[in-house]
Amino acid sequence: MAKSDDCVHILQGLLVFGNVVIGICGIALTAECIYFVSDPHGLDPLLTATANSDINAAAWIGIFVGLALFALSILGIIGVIKASRTLLMVYIILMLITFAFEMASCITAATHRDSLTPEFFLKQMLDRYQKSDPGNNSDSEITKTWDELMLQNHCCGVTGPSDWQEYTSEFRRTHSDADYPWPRKCCVLNAQGLPVNLDGCKLGVPGYYNSNGCYDAISGPVNTQAWGVAWFGFAILCWTFCVLLGTMFYWSGIEY
Amino acid sequence: STMLPLLLLLLPAAHGIAHLAYRPALTKEPQLEGVKTASTFVVDQPRCVFQNYSNAVIWLVVALNQAASSFNNSAGPGTSETAFQRFPDPVRAYMTLNVTLGSYPCPKPDGDIAVLRVGSETSCIQDDTRPTCNGPLPHPGPYRVKFLALEGSVPVAETAWSVPITLREAKPTSTISTTGSGHSADMIAITTILSILFAILLAGLVAMLFFWGSDSCGSSSTFSKPESVTVRRYNTHHVYDQPAARL
């Protein structure tokens, strides 16, 4: 009897520990998703301009899942210590619902990340950068975002300034090729925001224009966000799976 | 009859135009991103080529590829036959970028970028008063260029024609394919594993609900804690009973 008492206590201890970890991870997930939703890199206009803004949706779901996990972990701890069948049944069902939501969030984040290829950004940039449509707000947002991006990261286009030469674009419609082989923001600018050497920039002389593309500057933060949500969520779910299995086993051993 | 071959030999000499071996070419050094755009291209300046013609004005002739061989060196620059505004139809070769030899000092100082950007002047595209405008080229070409030195209105030297230069053509954005990138291994792994875990948990939940009311499977094995509670109750019951029995 003493031996099975020990087993019970060990199992209870493990379950309590498991729930504590779930609670902490839930708070961490909420914090991480709040950070991503706040868009620290200013890339949201590029990502949300499409029909689906799934990475953000995944982050929003993550916030609420994190809080739910924290609350449920407390419920779980109480249920385990009191060895209450009802409490634990409620706990398991609610946890499964939370599991499903978090699963959706992870898969959404991963899938959406896969769709953010260089071609996607290239097409969006060419179609909407400097599009002077007064009715459409998101176009001017995209223009502002790209300007900021090219300024901060000293880059041009998605794969390079040749993007503007290889493809037609909204920009090309309003800016002649001879005067603007690529946007002025691709030039090396001085403190006043004017090109250091405009002719050098138009010619493409190394040192007077930005020759690398901005895709790296975009994909870095996007990858961090997507994999942060997807893989951290996946890890939490794996741990939750173990705790839930243990809880089910514990539940089935409780006498009525 | 012997006079005729002699006269024929003398005629080119009387023309006096020197054919220099220099061939204009797209700039290779330094590497320029904009060496060819959709409407401009960049050629090297003809340094140390026209040294014997210090009094001449050096013009750049830009011609359609097929019109290069039929270009008349005596055509005057800035006339309607060579005006940029009437290029490419009916004018098939125009003259522009006129400079004196002083603009092409020889030798070229190291580090200087000595290039000519053909097509850089956008202000005079429609300006008929500027027939020698260095305007942007109207279509991808191909084009050929050469340099022509004129003293007054007399051509004195010319370079060879360049190889045909074809400009860049922009493709429409509809040719960019944004689909078919497939799913990464990460996403497939996450989906598969999570689906399996969720399925196992659901199965476990179903098993739990199935066994809710009945005696559970593991009751006889590890969970003796509830048993000890009932034993304790039983003991207290006995304790209450005994004093009553004694009484």
Side-chain angles (χ1 to χ4, degrees):
Chain A
M1 206 192 298
K3 191 176 167 198
S4 26
D5 244 356
D6 278 343
C7 280
V8 166
H9 283 131
I10 290 172
L11 184 57
Q12 275 184 325
L14 284 177
L15 288 178
V16 167
F17 171 70
N19 277 295
V20 166
V21 171
I22 290 179
I24 294 174
C25 288
I27 298 291
L29 183 67
T30 303
E32 183 198 32
C33 290
I34 290 179
Y35 172 71
F36 285 138
V37 163
S38 71
D39 188 26
H41 295 283
L43 291 176
D44 255 7
L46 300 186
L47 304 176
T48 59
T50 57
N52 51 346
S53 54
D54 286 339
I55 281 193
N56 245 4
W60 276 108
I61 294 177
I63 292 178
F64 295 111
V65 162
L67 292 174
L69 285 176
F70 177 70
L72 285 178
S73 70
I74 295 178
L75 176 67
I77 291 173
I78 296 174
V80 162
I81 290 178
K82 289 179 110 174
S84 154
R85 268 199 160 195
T86 332
L87 271 183
L88 286 181
M89 176 60 87
V90 168
Y91 164 80
I92 288 175
I93 292 178
L94 289 181
M95 264 298 206
L96 278 181
I97 296 174
T98 312
F99 190 99
F101 271 103
E102 180 58 18
M103 199 168 103
S105 162
C106 290
I107 295 176
T108 305
T111 311
H112 192 48
R113 163 66 197 92
D114 284 346
S115 73
L116 296 177
T117 53
E119 289 79 27
F120 166 80
F121 288 113
L122 182 63
K123 191 160 180 154
Q124 184 193 65
M125 177 186 81
L126 292 170
D127 283 339
R128 303 176 73 166
Y129 178 73
Q130 295 274 4
K131 189 168 182 185
S132 53
D133 184 358
N136 196 340
N137 216 13
S138 66
D139 288 337
S140 63
E141 282 294 318
I142 289 187
T143 303
K144 268 193 283 194
T145 306
W146 268 106
D147 284 339
E148 266 298 307
L149 200 59
M150 295 199 280
L151 203 60
Q152 303 279 4
N153 298 290
H154 306 295
C155 57
C156 183
V158 174
T159 55
S162 288
D163 290 343
W164 304 104
Q165 287 294 317
E166 274 190 49
Y167 298 97
T168 59
S169 56
E170 267 304 308
F171 175 76
R172 182 59 61 232
R173 244 175 22 93
T174 46
H175 297 76
S176 75
D177 170 80
D179 279 331
Y180 296 89
W182 33 76
R184 286 285 185 264
K185 289 284 187 294
C186 294
C187 301
V188 172
L189 303 175
N190 59 17
Q192 282 78 40
L194 297 170
V196 166
N197 186 334
L198 186 57
D199 286 323
C201 179
K202 287 198 236 180
L203 281 172
V205 179
Y208 294 118
Y209 77 110
N210 301 320
S211 53
N212 29 299
C214 298
Y215 183 65
D216 285 336
I218 297 174
S219 68
V222 166
N223 272 344
T224 312
Q225 175 166 339
W227 297 135
V229 172
W231 280 112
F232 186 47
F234 178 78
I236 293 178
L237 288 183
C238 286
W239 180 266
T240 308
F241 170 77
C242 297
V243 171
L244 281 179
L245 270 189
T247 311
M248 286 182 184
F249 180 66
Y250 179 75
W251 183 92
S252 67
I254 299 176
E255 272 289 352
Y256 229 78
Chain B
S1 55
T2 48
M3 286 298 284
L4 198 56
L6 270 172
L7 272 173
L8 286 172
L9 274 171
L10 281 169
L11 272 170
H15 252 295
I17 185 164
H19 303 279
L20 306 170
Y22 178 80
R23 192 184 292 277
L26 291 174
T27 303
K28 286 200 170 52
E29 188 59 47
Q31 293 270 19
L32 298 176
E33 180 102 31
V35 66
K36 275 197 299 185
T37 71
S39 60
T40 69
F41 60 93
V42 183
V43 293
D44 286 319
Q45 289 177 0
R47 296 286 179 105
C48 309
V49 172
F50 290 98
Q51 295 315 107
N52 298 337
Y53 305 94
S54 42
N55 292 331
V57 174
I58 301 162
W59 291 84
L60 179 73
V61 183
V62 181
L64 296 174
N65 187 20
Q66 314 91 301
S69 42
S70 55
F71 178 72
N72 183 358
N73 283 331
S74 308
T79 62
S80 56
E81 285 94 45
T82 56
F84 167 78
Q85 286 76 19
R86 303 179 75 208
F87 179 81
D89 185 62
V91 168
R92 302 183 74 210
Y94 66 97
M95 297 172 74
T96 182
L97 279 178
N98 49 312
V99 294
T100 55
L101 189 59
S103 303
Y104 300 146
C106 177
K108 178 178 92 73
D110 273 337
D112 268 14
I113 300 177
V115 298
L116 292 174
R117 187 161 180 248
V118 180
S120 60
E121 269 192 277
T122 48
S123 53
C124 49
I125 300 176
Q126 311 275 5
D127 189 355
D128 285 326
T129 64
R130 298 261 345 263
T132 59
C133 179
N134 180 22
L137 296 159
H139 58 72
Y143 304 98
R144 299 178 82 173
V145 299
K146 74 170 181 183
F147 291 98
L148 187 62
L150 297 178
E151 276 176 11
S153 58
V154 177
V156 294
E158 63 171 3
T159 65
W161 284 103
S162 67
V163 297
I165 297 169
T166 312
L167 301 179
R168 301 177 79 154
E169 263 190 280
K171 297 182 283 229
T173 56
S174 49
T175 57
I176 304 173
S177 96
T178 52
T179 57
S181 56
H183 294 295
S184 63
D186 293 31
M187 180 260 171
I188 293 177
I190 289 179
T191 311
T192 322
I193 294 176
L194 287 183
S195 307
I196 293 174
L197 296 185
F198 191 62
I200 295 174
L201 287 177
L202 276 182
L205 179 66
V206 166
M208 278 169 62
L209 291 172
F210 190 66
F211 289 116
W212 174 293
S214 62
D215 265 349
S216 40
C217 319
S219 61
S220 53
S221 51
T222 48
F223 292 90
S224 60
K225 181 181 170 236
E227 268 184 29
S228 56
V229 171
T230 37
V231 168
R232 242 182 260 130
R233 284 210 197 102
Y234 184 67
N235 278 337
T236 29
H237 205 69
H238 265 249
V239 168
Y240 282 134
D241 266 334
Q242 274 183 337
R246 281 200 198 117
L247 286 171

